[in-house]
Amino acid sequence: MKIKNIISFNLLIISAVFNTACSDQFLVDKKNFENVNTEIYDYYSGAKGRVDDIYSWILPNVANVAWNNNSTGMADMDAKSTEEYSGFSQPSYVNPLAPLVTNTNDHTTVPDYFQYQTNIQVSVWGRIRNCNEAIHGIMNGSLSQDEKDELVGQLYFLRAWAYYNLVKYYGGVPIIKKAQDPVAGDDLTIPRSSAKECIDFICEDLYAAAIMLPEKWDGENYGRITKGAAWAMIGRVRLLHASPLFNRADDTGRWEIAYQDNKKAIDTLTYNGIYGLAYLNDPGINASNWAKMFNEVGTQNVEAIFLTLYNSEPTISGTNFNKNNNWEHDIRPSNALGGGW
Amino acid sequence: MKYNNRIKLCLSFFLAFVINSIAYAQNTQIYRAVVVDEANEPIIGATVKVLDTSIGIITDLNGNFSISVPEGKTVEISFVGYATQRISELKQTRIVLKEDATQLDEVVVVGYGTQKKAHLTGAISTVPIDEIQDLSSGSLATTLSGIVNGISVKDGQARPGENARITIRQNDVFGEYGARATHPLYVIDGYIYPSDVKVGNNEPNLGADAFNNLDVSMIESISVLKDASAAVYGSRAANGVILVTTKKGKIGSPKISYSGQIGFTDEVSRPKMLNAYEYGKLWNAVRTADPSDTSLNTLSDLFQADELQAMKGLNYDLLDKYWKVAMTQKHSLNLSGATERANYFADISYFTQDGNLGKLDYERWNYRAGVDLKISKWVKANLQISGDYGEKNKPFIKIGTENEEKDYNMLLNRPRYIPENVGDYPIATIGPTNDDNMNALQNYSFAVLQDLGNYSQDMTQNTTINTGLEYDFGWSKYLKGLKLKFTYSKSISTAKNNQFASSYEIYKMEQRSGSGSHLYTGLNDEMMVDENFKLSTGSVITNGNFLSRWMNRADNYQMNFMAIYNRSFGLHDVNGLFSIERSEFESEYVEAKRNDPYEFTNGQSNGTTGSSDNKFTRAESGSLSYVGRANYAYDDKYLLELLVRIDASTKFAPENYWGTFPSLSAGWIITQEEWFKKNVKWIDYLKLRGSFGLVGRDNVTAWAWMQTYALNQDKGPVFGTSSTNNSGSHITIDNQRQAVNRDAHWDKNYKGNLGLDFNVLNNRLSINLDTYYEWNREIFMKRNAEIPGTVGSQAAAENYGKINSWGTELSVSWRDKIGKDFKYRIQVNTGYSDNKVILMAWDSSMKLKSVYPNQRTDTGEWGLQCIGMFRNYQDINEYFDKYMKKDDGTFGTYLGLAKDKVHPGMLIYKDIRGEVKTDGTYDPNPDHIISNEHDLVKMSHRDNPYGLTTNLSAEWKGISLTAQISADWGGYSFLPGSAIKINALSGGESVRDKKYNDLQYTSMPSFWKDMYVYENIYDAAGNLVVAENHSAKYPNLRFSENSESSTFWRVSGTRIKLNRITIAYAIPKKYTNRIGLENCRFNVTGQNLLSLYNPYPDNFIDPMTKYGNYPTLRKFTVGVNVTF
């Protein structure tokens, strides 16, 4: 072999080695096995897992009455009256100087909804961040449009629900429509919107949800948000906005909108007879049929529109299958499936 | 490209070079001579080479050699520590080699190659291997302490198998600010061990592990890169780099050498504790100290006079019972040799260190074998395989929380009147009130756990393979000096851990002896009936009660393609290197756990009855780098070095993969200048050097840039119409995953260094001075809440922190001879370092102790200023009247206590200033309130800033002595927290509100026998049990106010230690030669010998040890080195 040939042969080899060594494709191929990443949004099960996660943080948890859940069943004004009335009856709602309370279990004072700021799962802004993140993820994922609608519709509702609670306490709040990069120095400060803008934003979300969501879910998905629930929520939001709590000038236009939207809600809900008044003319002995409304699920219960479900799984150490409403169980008499006498 | 193809490629690459080799022959002449040193002793093993050929040989046992030299060639004779000589006229038959004090021809390993020591421009230190070869250690890092200026070594001196940790310059300070990477980078035989990888649940530093596992007998050299010369390792170099080269064979006949070491290890000191009687009195004095406590029952709560009398004769010192002197030994065997064409070596080494307490030990095997082949004149290949196998046995203790120090701590702290057993019943540590529910630790029993055999066993196995192929273009007129090199190294590490944890029964006694029923001795028959013994806490004590096993495997390879250029053109020396480096890492981990093992369990999963748990995970990462180095030297006078490394890492977002790390350094050897030589005769050597460069600190967790989600099983919402539908799975963003910063990248560390090397007085005095300044920028740090709450998450960590650090290192060494035979050397290493924080996440409300902008990271020690002790109520009245009376006539509080709660036996603190004001400053006027928030003074500015290590060595006719003494001073120390308050045992707090009750199961250090007692204490029968002690030195332990950090507990920070001494004797060659030995040497070595200054009261602990922890071990070993 001549020297020249040797050199060219060598060069060939060298360049081959060089090419393999220099390619950085192997870097890009490395994966994170410890966690899943945004790829989950390309799969229905993954996207649904995110939606379910947000349900689990955002649904009112009546088993544990706390600052982040609406009062239910407590002997307080929230439970005993309409929302606007309870707002007036508790001076701190309408008195800007009354301090908000960080930890309230009795719900006789107005809770500070801004607590646990740094906990994405618990804080209200964290829940909104979760909604924004999942909406963005699903929209940019590769699911079919029908699947996207079904999932994103639920998220729009849940985001509206979080804003509805904020607006009820604070009036206008900043409207955050996308998950911001939590990196200091960027312009993260969003100015506060007016109450009306917030109400409109909430209703936009709910209109979108109403369009995307089905009238009813199959048995396994019972409990998810429906088209009717979205409309019902619109009615509730419009009514709150028309109430004296927000409508001090008593603008009749708001009442008109509230009326129209609530009427639309009833029409939607009762269309096909999916929803209606339960046991309308059949309250049973001692209204026992009406009491069933808190136990019955599925087609039997035509009155449950927006609900948090619990199960009867026992608490076993090492498992987390159970989700029990202990509070309800404790106060119910035993003949009504409760733990009391 | 597939793996197979890659192999084929390498093979053809290799063949291509083999074909190029050429052989030839010439006329020769035989040259015979003897090589001796200045003392006329023959030098054995000196290398004799014919320059520009491959001919070489070494001198025999009498220093003779005979070599055939081709016409016109020059012979070069070299030996370590001697100046190399070249002989061109082959007539001289006696060649005298001169000792080379400066060792300027010495070659130092630097990143990706070697360099002449004289040509170094960076701050690179080398470890003198012969100074550490006699030291016994399971962790190589411990042997380096005090030997290399600018590095500090922590830990590794106590429990067998515990690893030490090296810090170069000040890189440990970043750990306090959330930095993950504080270890230096370890490079062994050119292979960069992964340091930033995930294996199972841990992020082990595989490099530090590999380094600590090395056996010193296999090491040729260790270099430490302290400054920007580390930039050749780029993104991982900010903490400095430690380079290790292992031994190769030397030209000549094969050699076998054995080195063995056997010795024992024992505690440096044991904390002095109260004896049984003193403890009894202490308890009585503490229990009665609060006059407002009306719950006192003098019969049941106090030790009675007869009991105290009996306690004078009791001494159940369990630590003394179980502590034993342990053996340690090491044996290593090295085989090596080399011919012109092949260089081969193989080593095996075994190290073992027994524990001093129960079933605790460590043993390790090391092996290494390899060969370097010169296939033809221009082609070289090498292959080496090395590895280690280690086994560490530890007790498993999970009484309360899991903590391996509990065994020593509980044995030390157990009050000495409580026996370990009564009859057949093991007895819990239950004190005067017979309360068994104060702390889970009361139920710890060393003996029971030893008998049950609860253990944790770690087994590790590491294998590394290094291969290389080199082609030299020396045959070409133009390409001469160019070499191409391909290396491939791979390491496989596996680790396994087995744990066995069970449960046991331990007892308390209902009725005990003594008039107050407090003693476990002198029991009558009624007390010995079984009914008198009840289970402590009423139930079985669980020490975890499970079997578990985990295993992992980590693989990493590094592939380099290198082009090296090295050529001299007249006075110009040019040196260059370019390399592409690629590495990939992967690890897998599996663990399994079963609860509730049978008593007769075989240790396997079928030997249990309980629930099971298992898990397996995987991690992978990769990096690609381009490395460049260029050196230029002119006439050995002007030196210049340029380094660049470009790194890519999969830790970051793809757009942030790449980082560039350049450095530039220059040197000037002034003594090479003709004008200097002429004018300044007294300076033998003077070099100035400086370097500046940018390196990275690998501070970011892999994948932290990416939004990830946790898969949560269950616990989610319930859907569906069945009431038994599970609470479903969901995919969540939890608090660890919420704050993602896509821009995360390496920290930047700019290193500047100026150095001076200086030899005078005929090279006897040499001085090395290095001074450095480092600008740490873009430090990846957490932010405090600096983003609006509406974002909905915590602020992400960012690359924004700024810390500057600087320091000076000075090493002075003096070497000389007295007479013909006595040689000695004294080397002193010292230095000073400091730093300041320019930007970090400041505390949201600044406290006195907080780090302020432009202040040192070490904020010193803050505490109350103690101005005495209240010895009676008059003292208290005077103090309150004088200092604590407010303008309105009322008294302020003393650490939250109103005046009527303040009692004699408490320390008096000074009211320094008022409360913090709204602007963050403190009211400078005393506010008549003593507070541990705002009355603090700076008791110590920082840890000892000054230090000095002296290494001595002397040799006389084969007898040699080496020693190391170190001192540091300038700061203050404080008595350990657990020695000055009750309730500081490892493992948590008492469940009782009255904290003094923790004294019932915790003894205290001996100095507490001089504790303040307000009035005489009488037992139920009216006997005096403790006399009043108003002049006591120590306040009453009852009051937790006394254990506030304060100047009262401050002691000198000065430490002077004799770290080690080795005395060795080498049998003169004329005797060893007769019996066929080349070399035979014996040594006696002591390590961690003495603290020459002890600032602690009653010397209750030695400054080398930590109170309550397994002590630093003093080791004495006898060693032998034999070479055949």
Side-chain angles (χ1 to χ4, degrees), chain B residues 112-309:
Chain B
Y112 299 91
T114 55
Q115 219 170 59
K116 266 164 91 178
K117 192 172 186 181
H119 285 187
L120 289 181
T121 48
I124 299 174
S125 301
T126 51
V127 176
I129 299 297
D130 51 344
E131 281 187 30
I132 61 171
Q133 64 173 349
D134 297 326
L135 302 177
S136 159
S137 173
S139 163
L140 182 64
T142 57
T143 62
L144 302 190
S145 73
I147 292 210
V148 182
N149 216 356
I151 82 170
S152 59
V153 182
K154 250 193 219 156
D155 304 329
Q157 303 275 15
R159 288 181 187 260
E162 175 189 309
N163 273 350
R165 186 189 177 95
I166 291 181
T167 302
I168 297 175
R169 290 187 168 166
Q170 288 179 62
N171 294 303
D172 51 341
V173 304
F174 300 97
E176 298 162 33
Y177 299 96
R180 296 166 59 260
T182 54
H183 279 284
L185 182 72
Y186 291 89
V187 181
I188 301 175
D189 285 332
Y191 177 59
I192 305 171
Y193 277 82
S195 53
D196 52 339
V197 291
K198 188 138 186 169
V199 181
N201 301 325
N202 303 317
E203 286 175 9
N205 188 311
L206 296 176
D209 292 349
F211 180 76
N212 276 312
N213 281 341
L214 284 174
D215 186 85
V216 71
S217 68
M218 300 178 183
I219 297 173
E220 177 74 29
S221 78
I222 301 174
S223 310
V224 182
L225 312 187
K226 298 188 283 194
D227 69 342
S229 56
V232 75
Y233 293 103
S235 62
R236 290 169 286 187
N239 296 328
V241 181
I242 293 184
L243 300 167
V244 181
T245 311
T246 57
K247 278 183 184 159
K248 297 267 151 77
K250 294 211 169 72
I251 296 235
S253 55
K255 272 186 198 167
I256 299 174
S257 66
Y258 164 80
S259 75
Q261 199 175 55
I262 186 156
F264 55 88
T265 64
D266 196 5
E267 60 202 342
V268 161
S269 96
R270 184 180 303 166
K272 285 188 200 160
M273 303 299 284
L274 296 173
N275 64 31
Y277 173 67
E278 289 161 351
Y279 168 79
K281 289 208 317 183
L282 182 83
W283 164 257
N284 285 357
V286 167
R287 180 66 188 86
T288 54
D290 185 354
S292 64
D293 182 356
T294 52
S295 66
L296 180 71
N297 177 331
T298 52
L299 180 65
S300 62
D301 289 348
L302 299 183
F303 289 105
Q304 305 296 300
D306 61 313
E307 292 171 336
L308 285 173
Q309 194 56 38

Side-chain angles (χ1 to χ4, degrees), chain B residues 121 236 240 317-318 407 465 580 597 631 660 838 924 1026 1053 1119:
Chain B
T121 48
R236 290 169 286 187
D317 184 347
L318 298 188
D407 52 356
I465 298 161
I580 305 166
N631 294 75
T660 304
I838 294 169
V1026 185

